[in-house]
Amino acid sequence: MTINLEKGGRINLSKTHPTLVKVRMGLGWDTKKFDTGSDFDLDVSVFVLTAASKLLSDQHFIFYNNLQTPDGAVRHAGDNRTGDAQGDDETIYIDLSRMPPNATEISFVATIHDAEARRQNFGQVQNSYIRLYNDATNEVIAQYKLEEEFSSETSLQFGSVYRNETGEWLFKAVGAGYKRGLLDFVRAYGGNV
Ligand SMILES: [Ca+2]
Ligand SMILES: [Ca+2]
């Protein structure tokens, strides 16, 4: 059974799926093409963070030019440049068993490539969602459909997979919009760019 999360909602994966090891995150969106004269490319990035919300290393910033963490715990399946895919537009694979012990949060952020020059924002994006699968069984464990209308935001934190004090893994629906670019996120998470 799929759990539908609301903004701010969470699910304790260690309780609902105690044997879960391989997780697949699918992110999807559609763009209102008539609103914009140029291509519209949303990019999903992943930040693997310590308890202090800092990147474990610069290599733990996963994006279209760095598709995998050195430990192999997180892998990005690659860039989709249009949002036209059927179903998930970009996919991230996570192996919880390979996650370094000091990794406490895996944050999923979407940004619009070249948003400023192309004068694009999340007001031109619709049907956004993040979906968490058990990659071993293809079961959709939880999903979060973003209901909110974003107007001028150029980036969006969709959600996080994180570890609590007792070592349980949870998934949280965040849905926070920002007027920030990708580099601003990297800097905020303590990356060197
Ligand atoms: Ca993309
Ligand atoms: Ca799509």
Side-chain angles (χ1 to χ4, degrees):
M1 195 190 71
T2 303
I3 307 279
N4 284 294
L5 293 171
E6 304 284 327
K7 180 170 176 157
R10 62 196 72 201
I11 171 177
N12 188 322
L13 302 165
S14 298
K15 288 212 166 91
T16 60
H17 293 75
T19 59
L20 182 67
V21 176
K22 296 202 170 173
V23 174
R24 187 166 94 237
M25 306 298 296
L27 290 92
W29 57 84
D30 295 322
T31 55
K32 304 174 191 170
K33 286 234 167 56
F34 48 86
D35 281 0
T36 157
S38 38
D39 287 346
F40 198 114
D41 180 11
L42 237 78
D43 293 325
V44 176
S45 303
V46 185
F47 299 86
V48 183
L49 305 171
T50 64
S53 288
K54 298 295 177 199
L55 280 166
L56 263 64
S57 77
D58 286 347
Q59 286 71 46
H60 287 83
F61 161 43
I62 298 303
F63 70 119
Y64 51 83
N65 272 343
N66 178 38
L67 292 174
Q68 193 165 318
T69 55
D71 39 66
V74 179
R75 181 169 65 83
H76 193 310
D79 190 17
N80 172 299
R81 298 208 170 149
T82 61
D84 285 346
Q86 291 287 326
D88 304 335
D89 290 294
E90 293 197 6
T91 299
I92 313 292
Y93 294 91
I94 298 173
D95 185 338
L96 295 174
S97 68
R98 295 170 87 166
M99 203 57 75
N102 58 336
T104 61
E105 183 181 358
I106 306 144
S107 170
F108 301 89
V109 169
T111 51
I112 302 170
H113 185 68
D114 224 1
E116 208 169 323
R118 295 178 181 178
R119 305 169 71 96
Q120 294 171 337
N121 58 58
F122 272 89
Q124 295 152 328
V125 178
Q126 58 191 357
N127 307 328
S128 304
Y129 68 82
I130 181 167
R131 197 169 276 162
L132 188 152
Y133 301 80
N134 181 345
D135 196 39
T137 61
N138 259 336
E139 176 197 1
V140 179
I141 295 175
Q143 63 184 357
Y144 165 44
K145 294 179 180 168
L146 285 74
E147 309 282 355
E148 200 171 324
E149 280 286 321
F150 295 95
S151 50
S152 54
E153 286 84 353
T154 53
S155 54
L156 198 57
Q157 199 213 344
F158 274 63
S160 288
V161 170
Y162 67 101
R163 212 176 337 215
N164 67 13
E165 307 75 37
T166 56
E168 295 171 319
W169 287 105
L170 295 89
F171 172 57
K172 178 171 63 178
V174 178
Y178 299 92
K179 292 178 191 174
R180 273 183 177 182
L182 186 53
L183 289 184
D184 300 316
F185 273 98
V186 179
R187 288 192 192 104
Y189 284 139
N192 296 301
V193 287

